[in-house]
Amino acid sequence: MTPSDPFDGALGRVEELREFYEEPMERAVRKDIGRIDEMCRRLIGAAPMLFIGTYSAEGRGDVSPRGGQPGFVTVLDDEHLAIPDATGNRRLDTLENIVETGRAAVIFVIPGRDTTLRMSGAARVSAEPELLDRLTPVGKPPRTAIVLRAEEVYAHCPKAFVRSKLWDPDTWPDPAVLPTSAEVSVAHQRDPGWSVQQEEQRIAESLLYRLD
């Protein structure tokens, strides 16, 4: 028997979706302040990690991590922040998507804290020297920066972190039962001439010499 397409029977209208859920709580709607206030500035300043979501002109979605020392994201004013670009794999998926569609959304993550800060709105990629000079470098001075304008800003509830026990070391998986980063990379590169040992060496040198 041929398996059915998992997309078969999927909901096609928002009205259909809403039949399965109650209306959002007033508090959940009201907490969106649409700007970067002092509370948000403090949370952004403490976050060493964020995840940024974008999409291409064809609608292809992407989510990418960005990290640095707390404070690596600069709040420019009550409506704008800037995320410096750092050395990466040069695929530029996030940057190309923003250039194409002009939109982005971010979630700021603070270690040990169950709540996150969400922000979304219009986005641009800038190489203006005056702007880049205001930013805290992530390694080398950034070639470009992502500028995000606040349209939606709110603290997200902690339930996902509470359920996942993300910060509880007792729940973390045993590394021995998971493939290493080198093993995953070699499997996905599909290069029979490249070994796990070679990949481990490449990763070590990359982190030692090319993190900046």
Side-chain angles (χ1 to χ4, degrees):
M1 181 177 179
T2 304
S4 62
D5 186 338
F7 280 10
D8 286 347
L11 304 178
R13 297 183 298 112
V14 172
E15 292 78 10
E16 292 178 299
L17 174 64
R18 272 295 167 190
E19 292 177 4
F20 292 88
Y21 298 91
E22 297 81 12
E23 289 298 315
M25 294 180 293
E26 181 184 352
R27 291 174 60 87
V29 176
R30 193 171 64 242
K31 68 180 180 180
D32 177 8
I33 62 174
R35 60 188 176 85
I36 307 172
D37 68 356
E38 179 59 26
M39 292 294 180
C40 294
R41 287 173 181 262
R42 291 167 61 184
L43 294 175
I44 293 170
M49 172 68 74
L50 64 84
F51 293 89
I52 180 165
T54 59
Y55 62 95
S56 69
E58 294 78 26
R60 184 178 61 253
D62 180 78
V63 177
S64 176
R66 292 289 191 274
Q69 293 296 320
F72 80 100
V73 174
T74 298
V75 176
L76 302 174
D77 53 42
D78 289 349
E79 294 184 340
H80 301 86
L81 57 76
I83 306 167
D85 191 45
T87 301
N89 57 21
R90 298 189 292 278
R91 281 183 51 126
L92 305 185
D93 295 314
T94 298
L95 301 182
E96 289 183 358
N97 287 350
I98 291 174
V99 170
E100 287 183 358
T101 64
R103 306 290 299 180
V106 299
I107 292 183
F108 292 95
V109 179
I110 302 173
R113 189 181 181 96
D114 289 336
T115 53
T116 56
L117 182 69
R118 296 176 55 156
M119 177 173 164
S120 65
R124 299 292 186 271
V125 176
S126 176
E128 288 295 324
E130 184 177 348
L131 171 69
L132 298 182
D133 286 344
R134 297 179 59 181
L135 309 185
T136 301
V138 184
K140 297 177 181 178
R143 297 181 183 182
T144 63
I146 297 168
V147 180
L148 180 62
R149 177 184 297 154
E151 295 177 8
E152 179 184 65
V153 183
Y154 64 91
H156 197 79
C157 76
K159 291 179 181 178
F161 285 87
V162 172
R163 293 188 184 109
S164 66
K165 299 182 180 179
L166 181 65
W167 306 123
D168 182 0
D170 291 336
T171 70
W172 295 351
D174 180 357
V177 304
L178 296 174
T180 66
S181 296
E183 289 171 337
V184 173
S185 181
V186 169
H188 289 175
Q189 288 293 332
R190 294 158 290 178
D191 181 358
W194 193 253
S195 69
V196 171
Q197 184 177 7
Q198 288 173 301
E199 181 64 12
E200 289 174 341
Q201 182 65 28
R202 186 199 67 79
I203 292 174
E205 292 178 355
S206 178
L207 294 176
L208 181 62
Y209 302 115
R210 297 191 293 276
L211 189 59
D212 291 342

